[in-house]
């Protein structure tokens, strides 16, 4: 069953992922870059976030906005990707 986020966004096709990337990709990148301070790693985190959103498309963002879901996932993934000091 296809779920809609609270802001009406959905992921049922790769075009939907592309649309969400166009809307939120730069913002997700800025969040990841702010945490990681490494452009290459930040780009990889953002790619992983949108791949994860695609894989979880049946329940993606359920009860939340797409932006909230993507930014939360980006934040968590960026923290996980940090190199221990």
């Amino acid at each position: 069953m296809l779920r809609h986020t609270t802001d009406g966004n959905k992921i049922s096709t790769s075009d939907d992922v592309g649309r969400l990337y166009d809307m939120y990709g730069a913002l997700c990148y800025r969040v990841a870059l702010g945490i990681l301070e490494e452009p290459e790693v930040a780009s990889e985190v953002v790619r992983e976030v949108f791949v994860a959103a695609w894989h979880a498309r049946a329940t993606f963002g359920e009860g939340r906005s797409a932006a909230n879901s993507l930014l939360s996932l980006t934040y968590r993934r960026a923290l996980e990707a940090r190199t221990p000091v």
Side-chain angles (χ1 to χ4, degrees):
M1 170 182 252
L2 180 64
R3 306 276 185 200
H4 291 266
T5 59
T6 58
D7 56 359
N9 288 301
K10 62 182 173 45
I11 298 179
S12 59
T13 68
S14 59
D15 289 341
D16 294 332
V17 175
R19 182 178 48 77
L20 288 175
Y21 181 83
D22 290 343
M23 293 170 64
Y24 303 114
L27 182 57
C28 290
Y29 176 76
R30 286 193 300 273
V31 168
L33 185 61
I35 293 168
L36 297 164
E37 299 178 348
E38 296 179 49
E40 298 81 19
V41 180
S43 292
E44 180 64 20
V45 164
V46 172
R47 186 192 69 75
E48 290 174 5
V49 164
F50 282 87
V51 167
W54 170 252
H55 288 292
R57 65 189 170 274
T59 58
F60 173 78
E62 197 170 73
R64 302 168 75 178
S65 71
N68 188 328
S69 297
L70 290 167
L71 291 171
S72 294
L73 186 55
T74 300
Y75 180 79
R76 287 192 311 272
R77 293 282 174 102
L79 289 177
E80 291 170 0
R82 286 192 308 187
T83 305
V85 178

